[in-house]
Amino acid sequence: MTERRPPKIRGLYRLKTATGMEWVLVDYGIAGKFEITCERYEQMGYEPAFDSLPTKAQFAVGEIMAKSRQ
């Protein structure tokens, strides 16, 4: 029997709301993508570290650049 591994859960980008709340868009694999608080992200030990995540704008630019290379 093959060993089942949990899906790789990763932060995609960080964002800060007008009220100062910090959030992370997290990719849970087939379960989907959801925003969670920075505090929860750090409690769960997800990677990469919050401070090394791109901002939402930086992430969007990277997505556009990747699509233009296809």
Side-chain angles (χ1 to χ4, degrees), residues 43-64:
Q43 284 174 348
M44 296 303 294
Y46 295 149
E47 293 181 357
F50 177 79
D51 291 331
S52 65
L53 286 168
T55 63
K56 184 176 182 178
Q58 292 167 333
F59 181 81
V61 168
E63 290 285 293
I64 292 167

